[in-house]
Amino acid sequence: MTKTHGQNVHKLADYRPYPFVLSATRMRFRLSPGNTRVHAELSLAPRDAQQAADLVLDGGKAVRLLALTIDGQPLDPAHVTRQEETLTITAGALPRHPFLLETEVEIDPSANTACEGLYISNGMFCTQCEAEGFRHITFYPDRPDVMATFHVTIDSDLPVLLSNGNPVGQSQGRAEWHDPWPKPSYLFALVAGDLVAVSDSFTTRSGRKVALNVWVRPGDQDRAGFAMESLIKSMKWDEDVYGREYDLDVFNIVAVDDFNMGAMENKGLNIFNSKLVLASPETATDTDYERIEAVIAHEYFHNWTGNRITCRDWFQLCLKEGLTVFRDQQFTSDMRSAAVKRIEDVQALRARQFREDQGPLAHPPRPDRYEEINNFYTATVYEKGAEVIGMLKRLVGGDGYRRALDLYFDRHDGDAATIEDWLKVFEDATGRDLAQFKRWYTDAGTPRLTMIEDWQDGTLALTFTQETPPTPGQAQKLPRVIPVAVGLIGPNGDEVTPTQVLEVTEASQTFTFAGLGARPVVSALRGFSAPVMLSRDLDDATRAFLLAHDTDPFARWEAGRELALSALIAASQGKTVTGDYVDAIGRLIADDAADPAFRALCLNLPGEEEIATRLSSEGLTPDPDAIHAARELLARQIAETHLDLLSQLYEDMKVEGPYIPDAAGTAQRSLRNAVLALLTRIDGGERAEILFGIASNMTERMAALTCLLRRGRGQAELAALQDQFAGNRLVMDKWFAVQPMAAPPLQAAAVARDLSQRKDFDWKNPNRFRALLGGLAANHAGFHAADGSGYDFTADWLLRMDALNPQMAARLSTAFETWTRYDPGRRAKALAALERIAASEGLSKNTREMVSRMIAAGR
């Protein structure tokens, strides 16, 4: 190990197999809030009987060792060393043959505020063991390449006792579970509490009947039905599309109120943040429903891509997460609109991952080192990891992709695999050399791709130049394989050359199209075929032409997006805005044949963070106040110019009948709400006030409330929402989040500070804390207020949370990620806030690593 920032650095190059094989784990839990006893029996054997090795077990500081034996015999204390988070038994005390290691420990779940390991959420015992939470339960080789079967006994007077696998014994105050599939400790799960189940079943394609349960607190049953529907859809889809069948007799999902993450794929017992399970039209938005459907699918798909095949070490995290994100994206595309889903995924990638690549936290999808693994659950690992899978599929084709995946499942079932294993499967299945493609996994940064056109005598030449800017620890970047999907559109708007995938593999490369009758307009990077920034010399008139005529939905949307960004950047720089974008949007508003969801995406202007990212990438200093003003100005200009069209469209998109969270209804509501946001600039909130009063669903109520708050109104509506839903934690999370998010920028930090003083700001609950601080961070000009109030408020609360829940504090510290791109005044105030955090005595290693990396970027 080496040191940096005062912490241990784990390096990929240092990986060594664990010197012992663990074949079976038996555990017995005697649950008690303050003193839970955990008895563990580990069936171990030396990996090499000729090579003596110490046995090193991971174990947190709060794990109290009561007993330790090998084959029933106590150990001489001279052979046992306890350090901060490890327990070491010297080689001299270990047999050279298979042996049974037994431990008895005591832990205090009631004192576990980090929501990691075994803890209590409102009286319910639950676990979160990824990435390294199991070591806070007992002493164990807590690493993903050590896999064993588990037999778990739970003793408790609580009515529902759950663990991984199949139930094999039940009696008063006791339950036994057996998981026959070897798994690493991070996939262990236990839940015990007063719960009720929404139950159903699924018959697999081989005819096995699987019992399905969504466990919730009493009273929440009526909000769990959609989660069950989503699970059944996921199981069917995975059989149909990937040929993957579920492999246990039961599949359980549990909704938990206090959870750091969205959900966890523990084998046979998925634990979910309750916001990703519970939904009703009155309490959840369309976005909530779609998110529930996607995350239920994601965690279920992990059964094969993450559980049956896991990752060898945490450096390979993107192998399971990137692949599973790609699979859940495919699923949502099939359930809803593929075109809209693709655009939404690109928006999310650019908002989070491109920003990550441009800042001090940039890292490759597979990093070669880390200090705290919980800090690498990032957009780069998840979303960019999925984009890399998508590029692979595009390069080898659908048939090649399916052959490779079938081979992957056959070859590596039961393995802890690596990126090398993954790429080798594709090479063997398709015959393709992927040595250069591997750079997508090992190199950080977003490639900048420049396209230059040359037209001569019926031949169009496209020259592409690629370059990836330096990132922390990686100055020089070699060219990557970049698939660029291109189509050609004639002057009359007809497509003359359908989509072709050009493979850019060199620093500069030219492709030609001959025999053309007239110079075409190039539709480039169709479907966002690679996660790059494309630069080309394109005027607004040509962008407007593509918005009107491009046959590729993404490229059409992208043309409109570039038009909008061109106008917004000009306005933020004090320049005159041309009418090309406003005119083009008018034509789209009037296009009744276009998908309403697509029209909604085009009507939603680029966010302020996206504008700042674009300005920064062009070497300009973003001014948050000017960006906010420019966006408001353009939105008002669109509304004034197309007032009649928008007013009619608002009426036309009204959804009649009961609320259904299907694709069609969601699309109509999304377009109507996008129109409402524009019209509110003109009517001051008149329509929004009426909609809030008559709406029968949370989607329309939150859209109306957001519009009102942005106009400095909405206090009566906030009070009405609070009166109705004061006891509903998930709705009140929305209530806390929307206020700082939609507040006028100069008031945002003050609004957040006032909310933080309320008795119902249960900041120890991760969802409530995330709602308030995330809401402020989402208000770009508010968080980056010139007086530093946004920075100071956030730093105050990060310090407070760090002492309680370091993971949560570290993750939300990324609000400061882009501080170096702003003006000197803002930089000084942001740096002061970061240095105040860093100087705090007892700061966790999680937050210290993040803050230290961000501070270093400014030096």
Side-chain angles (χ1 to χ4, degrees):
M1 292 287 186
T2 57
K3 293 273 189 179
T4 183
H5 304 146
Q7 302 296 330
N8 287 329
V9 173
H10 303 267
K11 294 184 178 181
L12 174 61
D14 292 340
Y15 172 81
R16 298 293 183 273
Y18 194 62
F20 298 86
V21 175
L22 175 58
S23 57
T25 299
R26 296 183 68 90
M27 303 184 74
R28 182 174 180 179
F29 289 80
R30 295 179 178 86
L31 297 180
S32 176
N35 55 342
T36 288
R37 291 286 185 99
V38 184
H39 181 86
E41 300 177 3
L42 311 186
S43 296
L44 290 156
R47 185 172 295 277
D48 181 354
Q50 306 305 312
Q51 184 69 42
D54 293 347
L55 176 63
V56 180
L57 304 172
D58 300 297
K61 290 182 288 186
V63 178
R64 189 160 76 94
L65 182 64
L66 303 177
L68 172 65
T69 65
I70 290 180
D71 290 335
Q73 298 301 311
L75 288 171
D76 183 339
H79 291 295
V80 181
T81 303
R82 176 80 186 268
Q83 294 180 311
E84 189 169 293
E85 289 204 351
T86 59
L87 181 75
T88 301
I89 303 172
T90 60
L94 299 172
R96 296 295 182 91
H97 54 72
F99 60 93
L100 184 69
L101 173 74
E102 293 184 70
T103 58
E104 180 94 13
V105 304
E106 185 176 271
I107 55 177
D108 182 359
S110 66
N112 182 358
T113 61
C115 300
E116 184 181 26
L118 178 67
Y119 63 99
I120 297 177
S121 172
N122 290 335
M124 176 173 66
F125 288 87
C126 58
T127 57
Q128 171 54 34
C129 293
E130 187 177 356
E132 295 177 339
F134 194 79
R135 64 191 59 191
H136 300 295
I137 295 174
T138 190
F139 292 99
Y140 200 86
D142 190 15
R143 44 189 284 172
D145 60 341
V146 176
M147 304 170 70
T149 60
F150 274 70
H151 188 107
V152 175
T153 301
I154 308 169
D155 293 334
S156 172
D157 57 2
L158 291 167
V160 175
L161 308 174
L162 307 172
S163 192
N164 306 91
N166 296 318
V168 293
Q170 186 95 26
S171 60
Q172 184 65 36
R174 173 172 292 184
E176 290 187 59
W177 293 80
H178 178 65
D179 187 355
W181 301 101
K183 66 173 180 284
S185 55
Y186 82 85
L187 291 172
F188 170 81
L190 180 150
V191 171
D194 183 10
L195 299 167
V196 292
V198 173
S199 301
D200 209 320
S201 64
F202 179 80
T203 302
T204 68
R205 61 181 182 174
S206 66
R208 289 188 308 104
K209 189 174 182 179
V210 179
L212 308 178
N213 300 294
V214 177
W215 295 92
V216 297
R217 295 186 183 278
D220 286 336
Q221 303 95 304
D222 61 339
R223 294 191 288 152
F226 185 76
M228 179 60 78
E229 293 174 19
S230 301
L231 174 59
I232 292 171
K233 287 180 186 177
S234 305
M235 298 177 81
K236 179 70 166 59
W237 185 89
D238 210 18
E239 288 188 348
D240 293 344
V241 178
Y242 278 84
R244 297 300 101 195
E245 183 176 324
Y246 187 61
D247 51 8
L248 291 170
D249 299 332
V250 62
F251 188 90
N252 289 312
I253 289 174
V254 181
V256 176
D257 290 334
D258 299 276
F259 206 65
N260 286 341
M261 308 169 83
M264 181 61 208
E265 70 267 19
N266 317 295
K267 183 72 177 180
L269 177 56
N270 284 190
I271 299 179
F272 272 67
N273 191 315
S274 56
K275 70 179 180 180
L276 293 171
V277 173
L278 304 178
S280 68
E282 298 78 21
T283 62
T285 65
D286 288 335
T287 300
D288 293 330
Y289 275 101
E290 184 173 339
R291 184 74 175 138
I292 288 169
E293 184 179 70
V295 177
I296 292 280
H298 179 95
E299 305 307 333
Y300 174 74
F301 297 156
H302 264 312
N303 187 62
W304 277 92
T305 52
N307 296 1
R308 287 283 287 262
I309 306 176
T310 193
C311 47
R312 185 195 71 178
D313 50 68
W314 291 121
F315 298 100
Q316 322 294 330
L317 180 60
C318 71
L319 175 59
K320 76 179 184 77
E321 293 300 348
L323 176 54
T324 307
V325 169
F326 180 70
R327 278 159 38 81
D328 82 52
Q329 290 173 349
Q330 288 181 294
F331 169 78
T332 300
S333 295
D334 287 349
M335 296 300 109
R336 297 174 182 264
S337 165
V340 169
K341 173 61 176 169
R342 184 61 185 141
I343 293 167
E344 290 174 343
D345 288 340
V346 174
Q347 286 182 302
L349 183 83
R350 287 173 169 170
R352 297 176 57 225
Q353 199 282 318
F354 277 23
R355 161 178 154 157
E356 203 164 77
D357 264 349
Q358 290 183 20
L361 305 181
H363 61 276
R366 185 178 73 178
D368 62 3
R369 64 189 62 210
Y370 65 81
E371 293 178 36
E372 169 54 58
I373 185 55
N374 286 308
N375 290 341
F376 275 89
Y377 283 74
T378 62
T380 297
V381 166
Y382 282 70
E383 279 74 28
K384 190 170 185 176
E387 291 296 322
V388 176
I389 306 295
M391 283 190 291
L392 260 181
K393 185 174 185 290
R394 191 179 292 271
L395 289 169
V396 304
D399 290 343
Y401 177 79
R402 180 58 189 263
R403 291 196 307 274
L405 266 292
D406 287 344
L407 181 58
Y408 179 64
F409 293 129
D410 289 344
R411 179 180 290 177
H412 292 292
D413 187 11
D415 285 354
T418 65
I419 294 299
E420 285 75 17
D421 295 329
W422 167 252
L423 293 176
K424 184 68 164 60
V425 158
F426 273 82
E427 290 180 329
D428 292 348
T430 67
R432 186 182 180 102
D433 184 349
L434 295 174
Q436 185 182 13
F437 184 85
K438 185 180 177 182
R439 291 173 192 158
W440 280 105
Y441 283 108
T442 59
D443 289 1
T446 303
R448 310 286 174 86
L449 191 66
T450 302
M451 186 182 84
I452 298 175
E453 301 179 33
D454 182 53
W455 169 257
Q456 292 185 27
D457 302 325
T459 298
L460 176 69
L462 301 179
T463 298
F464 293 92
T465 304
Q466 62 165 297
E467 180 185 13
T468 304
T471 53
Q474 290 186 332
Q476 300 274 331
K477 312 288 177 72
L478 295 172
R480 309 188 195 187
V481 180
I482 301 178
V484 183
V486 169
L488 304 181
I489 302 171
N492 64 352
D494 293 339
E495 188 167 79
V496 295
T497 301
T499 302
Q500 297 183 19
V501 178
L502 312 177
E503 295 187 27
V504 180
T505 59
E506 301 171 13
S508 182
Q509 201 166 349
T510 300
F511 303 85
T512 59
F513 298 83
L516 301 170
R519 179 167 185 164
V521 175
V522 181
S523 169
L525 206 67
R526 285 184 158 183
F528 197 64
S529 54
V532 301
M533 290 184 179
L534 177 64
S535 174
R536 56 187 297 202
D537 188 11
L538 210 60
D539 57 32
D540 284 351
T542 306
R543 293 188 180 108
F545 175 87
L546 287 169
L547 177 59
H549 299 291
D550 206 317
T551 58
D552 181 79
F554 170 79
R556 186 183 182 196
W557 171 82
E558 179 81 321
R561 200 71 166 178
E562 288 298 317
L563 265 177
L565 280 167
S566 175
L568 288 163
I569 288 171
S572 73
Q573 299 290 298
K575 300 174 184 177
T576 303
V577 178
T578 66
D580 288 324
Y581 175 67
V582 176
D583 293 342
I585 283 297
R587 290 190 290 273
L588 185 68
I589 294 170
D591 184 2
D592 292 336
D595 177 3
F598 176 79
R599 293 159 80 188
L601 286 170
C602 293
L603 281 184
N604 288 319
L605 292 174
E608 294 173 25
E609 177 70 43
E610 183 178 350
I611 301 165
T613 298
R614 175 62 65 88
L615 285 165
S616 180
S617 72
E618 294 177 359
L620 301 171
T621 300
D623 180 340
D625 296 326
I627 290 171
H628 178 76
R631 195 171 183 274
E632 287 295 306
L633 178 67
L634 184 57
R636 185 174 182 86
Q637 187 177 345
I638 293 169
E640 289 175 340
T641 304
H642 303 299
L643 179 59
D644 292 341
L645 276 173
L646 289 167
S647 298
Q648 187 58 53
L649 187 57
Y650 182 73
E651 296 303 321
D652 292 344
M653 286 297 110
K654 183 177 181 181
V655 181
E656 303 291 350
Y659 175 90
I660 303 174
D662 61 357
T666 297
Q668 278 188 246
R669 283 185 292 271
S670 67
L671 179 53
R672 192 168 196 247
N673 291 338
V675 170
L676 179 66
L678 293 170
L679 290 174
T680 304
R681 265 84 175 189
I682 303 298
D683 69 14
E686 180 181 341
R687 289 178 181 83
E689 185 177 359
I690 293 171
L691 179 61
F692 185 91
I694 65 173
S696 62
N697 60 80
M698 185 57 72
T699 301
E700 292 178 334
R701 296 186 82 183
M702 286 305 299
L705 178 60
T706 302
C707 289
L708 289 168
L709 290 171
R710 284 180 172 152
R711 303 276 68 80
R713 298 177 54 182
Q715 295 310 306
E717 288 74 15
L718 282 170
L721 209 63
Q722 181 185 6
D723 288 345
Q724 185 177 357
F725 294 107
N728 186 305
R729 295 181 75 167
L730 299 183
V731 173
M732 289 304 293
D733 287 340
K734 293 179 173 64
W735 190 89
F736 272 90
V738 71
Q739 294 182 66
M741 181 191 72
L746 293 178
Q747 301 172 23
V751 168
R753 194 170 294 279
D754 287 346
L755 288 168
S756 73
Q757 303 306 309
R758 290 175 55 97
K759 290 183 179 179
D760 55 353
F761 177 56
D762 179 11
W763 65 275
K764 297 178 181 180
N765 174 261
N767 284 351
R768 187 61 50 87
F769 186 80
R770 194 163 28 219
L772 185 60
L773 270 74
L776 176 59
N779 187 328
H780 180 258
F783 176 73
H784 293 289
D787 63 1
S789 56
Y791 304 144
D792 289 340
F793 174 82
T794 302
D796 290 344
W797 278 100
L798 290 178
L799 282 169
R800 193 168 180 180
M801 177 55 82
D802 183 72
L804 190 80
N805 188 331
Q807 278 189 41
M808 188 56 49
R811 285 174 183 163
L812 288 176
S813 72
T814 57
F816 287 97
E817 186 175 15
T818 59
W819 71 276
T820 58
R821 70 186 181 192
Y822 296 99
D823 58 86
R826 285 180 170 86
R827 285 203 305 271
K829 291 179 173 63
L831 179 59
L834 287 168
E835 289 181 333
R836 178 158 63 90
I837 296 171
S840 174
E841 186 176 350
L843 192 68
S844 72
K845 64 179 181 180
N846 306 62
T847 304
R848 185 172 301 283
E849 178 189 9
M850 300 293 280
V851 170
S852 297
R853 289 165 66 190
M854 287 186 276
I855 290 173
R859 292 175 175 162

